[in-house]
């Protein structure tokens, strides 16, 4: 099956509706499509073609959206680069994806300066070639590629197809409803599935996106009260700060506002109650890059009786626990549905992501009697810090590369501002200054991944087969 | 791709929501699923299996829904029989579809008495076998088969797959929006795509259906004012009568009511304006059995400036005019999308329904500059009478079978109550009484298809190749 080109069709059907708003500016679907076609002509002039693999590095602003929509029109595969990554991490992703082009927001050019970047300012100046958008998009076309790490510490490039994004958008609408005048506030990164999926929903629904360059609790609170937006995506730590801003102000949440979609782990019931008192419905979600955003959702109404649950799957999706149908019994969480990635690219291209039609998440959880999912251990002891996923193995790998370090173990520790932050434990070969070790890490890790503490220990907790027990590390805090 | 079983999944996700309401009774999704599973056990005991082809003949009431949902659970192909058809017409459809079983509402048993019917009352008495619903539904599984006629006068059985119904439900939601507490008033026949698609939307959305046994303008008007329903499907002639009832009463339409979906040809702008004054938004739709309900929709807001238009396609669909891209130029209307039937069954099983991925409707129309579709001639001079499609060729064929009739031509003439009714013109071999001719037709045609007038003429209007010009017949009225 194929889809009509989402941008062209959306423009044809509801061209006059607001597509994007940023600060005081607004663009309708017709306008944004016209701009995107213009950019597509310029990118074509620069040699970008259908199926070109194009890495993009940008801050969250309209030009990023224009460039992405141009790439959609041309039929590129977009490698979404995280602007917070260290240069070495970006280099790995650009190499691994074998990107044909690297499109870069000027303010970030130092991050990729030796990668022959095409700067946004340069793209703008190019004389466009004539350009005709593809009329049909194949279902299995790769729209986006996002890197995510795992147990090994080597980030894997996850393919997300048109069908993945479409079924994600539709399943979300079937769950929470949708009205043609909905507007989604996006203050989460566009290069993450959390933000990118808002753009996909915008095109599929004909829904407006109110874009913030970055998350600011006060600004978000104001928007929720202004009546300009109906939905917002966030992670738990953002919720508390937005709520506090509303509670401490004279403002009230607009009756037009419908719901917050909150990812990145369970939200304390106290927050849900506070949100409820503010008139905000909070939907807790469980999902990952490989499932193109949310797979299960917990309704606000169920939050109190199902504390810690991630809810139930969306209509098209199925979830089960590996090897058991018994309520309460723990096992690996398996996911089935059209939102699941067909696989990885680059050095992990051969890795099968599904076994017998089921995606193995690596997360451990259980179902209760009523079929509510509870996630007990995130895969690979994942640390979720301010909405960013941090894999301990990635940090350990860097620490171990230093000659003074014999063994390294990293785990997440609670943090008021970010939810969790990484903490490191090291067994040393010889004395070394903590700052020197951090400096060593700095060039190779995004700053949010730098261990917030490094403690020397005599040995690390390991099991019989010598596997590091990161959960025991946690107890040391 | 496959779907989770819609009934089981819907019950798992929103089992406590209202699924069906009829008079004073209500059933949640859990309840209706439980009842359907019970019926499935009984039908299994009677020999019905996955892939059994099951013809169903029933009036619109909950038991019909229970039986259909049981068939969905088992994995049957349901041949939806129209209770208004004459016995000979029903016999044709049962034969052509080679139905393995004929399930019949007791009050209709005389219509199919020599077809070994399984009466609903008998089904109820059967001791059920143990039954486990299918967990997955394949996308290309045939859910329903509906007969529709054409130029030849031989009704063709149209396959409608799970994907057809799913994409129709989703496309409609993306167009008009959807909220989890929506309730659709169904007073159109469940055996037609207009009514059946409401059930499909109910399962896919988790939406309630308020079922009326038959259309009653006053009752419908009351429901729109009661706040019990948010949507209603109808044809144009029904709209005027509902509006009149509201206007002549003390009632006002509930603010909860959202929209009327109106099919069966353009609605006079005067009605749209009257509806608007009552606070009702009317969405005019164009679709057919082969496209599993609506393909294009005209928004209320566009009705006045686009008088007579059928609007624009839904998000997943595309419409074009055969052989031309020029606005205003007429040609056959072609349709592309996942809602288009994969084909017919029975004696038309070999007929290809798509050429190069496009379904040829047989309808003639054009697009205006802005891409709005205008249907100029319905295929085969289709007569739409009170929501039923009548194909002139079908009536002509019956008339011609009478020895006194040498030639016959049928066309639609305007009628206040039904929109259109069929009128016949005959060239006779010998004198015959009109009543005798009508009696002859009665056993072979549903009563709504009986010509409301039969006039003798000396010759019929024909073109050079002797093809009957039904449009010229119309001018004779």
């Amino acid at each position: 099956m194929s889809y009509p080109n989402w941008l062209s069709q959306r423009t044809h059907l509801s061209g006059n509706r607001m597509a994007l708003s940023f600060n005081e500016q607004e663009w309708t679907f017709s306008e944004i499509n016209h701009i995107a076609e213009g950019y597509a002509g310029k990118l074509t002039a620069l040699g970008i073609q259908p199926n070109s693999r194009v890495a993009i590095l940008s801050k969250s602003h309209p030009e990023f959206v224009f460039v992405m929509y141009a790439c959609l029109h041309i039929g590129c595969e977009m490698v979404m680069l995280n602007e917070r990554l260290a240069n070495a991490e970006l280099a790995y992703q650009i190499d691994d994806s074998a990107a044909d082009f690297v499109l870069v927001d000027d303010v970030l050019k130092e991050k990729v300066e030796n990668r022959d970047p095409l700067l946004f300012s340069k793209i703008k100046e190019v004389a466009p070639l004539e350009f005709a958008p593809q009329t049909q998009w194949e279902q299995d076309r790769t729209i986006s590629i996002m890197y995510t790490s795992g147990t090994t510490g080597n980030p894997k490039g996850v393919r997300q197809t048109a069908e993945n994004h479409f079924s994600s958008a539709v399943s979300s609408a079937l769950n929470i409803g949708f009205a043609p005048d909905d507007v989604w506030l996006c203050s989460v990164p566009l290069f993450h599935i959390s933000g990118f999926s808002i753009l996909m929903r915008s095109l599929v629904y004909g829904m407006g996106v109110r874009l913030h360059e970055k998350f600011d609790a006060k600004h978000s609170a104001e928007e929720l009260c202004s009546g300009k937006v109906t939905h917002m995506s966030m992670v738990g730590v953002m919720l508390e700060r937005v709520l506090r801003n509303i509670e401490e102000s004279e403002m009230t949440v607009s009756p037009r506002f419908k719901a917050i979609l909150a990812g990145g782990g369970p939200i304390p019931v106290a927050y849900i109650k506070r949100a409820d008192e503010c008139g905000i419905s909070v939907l807790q979600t469980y999902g990952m890059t490989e499932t193109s955003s949310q797979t299960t959702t917990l309704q606000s109404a169920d939050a109190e009786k199902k504390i810690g649950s991630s809810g139930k799957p969306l209509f098209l999706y199925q979830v089960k626990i590996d090897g058991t149908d018994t309520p309460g019994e723990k096992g690996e969480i398996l996911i089935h549905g059209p939102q699941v990635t067909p696989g990885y690219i680059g050095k992990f291209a051969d890795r099968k992501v599904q076994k017998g039609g089921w995606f193995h998440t690596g997360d451990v959880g259980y179902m209760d009697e009523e079929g509510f999912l509870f996630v007990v251990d995130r895969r690979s002891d994942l640390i979720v810090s301010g909405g960013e996923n941090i894999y301990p193995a990635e940090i350990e790998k860097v620490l171990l590369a230093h000659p003074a370090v014999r063994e390294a173990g990293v785990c997440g520790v609670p943090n008021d501002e970010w939810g969790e932050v990484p903490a490191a434990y090291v067994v040393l070969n010889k004395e070394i200054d903590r700052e020197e070790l951090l400096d060593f890490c700095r060039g190779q890790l995004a700053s949010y991944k730098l261990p917030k503490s490094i403690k020397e220990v005599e040995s690390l907790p390991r099991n019989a087969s010598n596997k590091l027990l990161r959960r025991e590390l946690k107890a040391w805090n």
Side-chain angles (χ1 to χ4, degrees), chain A residues 70-219:
Chain A
C71 288
L72 286 180
H73 261 323
I74 297 173
C76 303
E77 300 188 351
M78 297 185 282
V79 180
M80 312 298 297
L81 298 175
N82 180 340
E83 53 139 324
R84 301 176 67 190
L85 294 185
N87 297 21
E89 294 170 307
L90 290 168
Y92 169 87
Q93 297 187 8
I94 293 167
D95 286 339
D96 182 67
S97 65
D100 302 307
F101 299 89
V102 183
L103 313 187
V104 180
D105 187 351
D106 292 55
V107 298
L108 296 169
K109 68 181 175 194
E110 270 130 46
K111 294 210 157 229
V112 288
E113 51 197 349
N114 55 352
R115 314 302 305 208
D116 197 15
L118 280 173
L119 296 184
F120 284 6
S121 60
K122 290 279 162 54
I123 296 170
K124 245 185 182 159
E125 287 166 10
V126 172
L129 283 189
E130 202 161 319
F131 171 77
Q134 301 188 316
T135 58
Q136 300 291 125
W137 292 3
E138 293 307 315
Q139 253 187 335
D140 61 358
R141 164 185 170 180
T142 298
I143 295 271
S144 47
I145 293 163
M146 295 183 190
Y147 275 82
T148 180
S149 294
T151 41
T152 61
N154 282 318
K156 304 187 290 291
V158 179
R159 264 184 205 282
Q160 296 160 336
T161 65
E163 185 185 17
N164 291 156
H165 288 301
F166 183 79
S167 56
S168 177
V170 161
S171 299
S172 178
L174 292 179
N175 183 37
I176 64 176
F178 154 71
D181 61 354
D182 282 349
V183 177
W184 207 292
L185 173 56
C186 177
S187 66
V188 287
L190 288 172
F191 52 77
H192 270 181
I193 187 60
S194 56
F196 192 80
S197 64
I198 296 174
L199 295 182
M200 296 295 98
R201 285 195 282 270
S202 168
L203 296 179
V204 171
Y205 304 170
M207 175 189 79
V209 176
R210 176 96 177 116
L211 183 65
H212 284 190
E213 182 148 7
K214 59 183 179 193
F215 172 67
D216 176 279
K218 184 161 174 286
H219 192 189

Side-chain angles (χ1 to χ4, degrees), chain A residues 254-271:
Chain A
S254 165
R256 207 187 151 207
F257 189 78
K258 294 182 183 172
I260 283 175
L261 232 66
I267 313 273
V269 176
Y271 292 3

Side-chain angles (χ1 to χ4, degrees), chain A residues 237-300:
Chain A
V237 284
M238 292 160 70
L239 177 61
E240 202 283 330
R241 289 154 68 186
V242 171
L243 289 176
R244 197 163 2 114
N245 265 280
I246 295 171
E247 290 160 347
E248 290 172 359
S249 75
E250 302 284 296
M251 305 184 294
T252 53
V253 171
S254 165
R256 207 187 151 207
F257 189 78
K258 294 182 183 172
I260 283 175
L261 232 66
I267 313 273
V269 176
Y271 292 3
I272 306 284
K273 284 189 181 164
R274 282 168 58 193
D276 197 48
E277 276 161 27
C278 291
I280 297 172
S281 167
V282 178
L283 300 152
Q284 298 180 63
T285 69
Y286 166 67
M288 57 206 71
T289 305
E290 285 93 337
T291 63
S292 317
S293 170
Q294 49 172 336
T295 283
T296 68
T297 306
L298 181 70
Q299 307 288 334
S300 226

Side-chain angles (χ1 to χ4, degrees), chain A residues 298-369:
Chain A
L298 181 70
Q299 307 288 334
S300 226
D302 293 324
E304 197 167 347
K305 65 176 185 168
K306 298 290 180 185
I307 295 173
S309 170
S310 299
K312 290 181 173 180
L314 304 187
F315 187 70
L316 287 176
Y317 308 163
Q318 285 160 296
V319 171
K320 68 179 182 187
I321 304 301
D322 199 14
T324 178
D325 288 328
T326 311
E329 206 171 307
K330 287 178 202 163
E332 187 176 6
I333 298 169
L334 310 186
I335 293 175
H336 173 83
Q339 88 286 27
V340 173
T341 177
Y344 302 107
I345 63 160
K347 72 164 68 149
F348 293 97
D350 293 336
R351 179 174 297 194
K352 277 191 77 170
V353 292
Q354 297 184 30
K355 293 174 200 160
W358 291 85
F359 173 67
H360 288 241
T361 61
D363 291 343
V364 173
Y366 67 90
M367 302 279 212
D368 74 2
E369 296 280 349

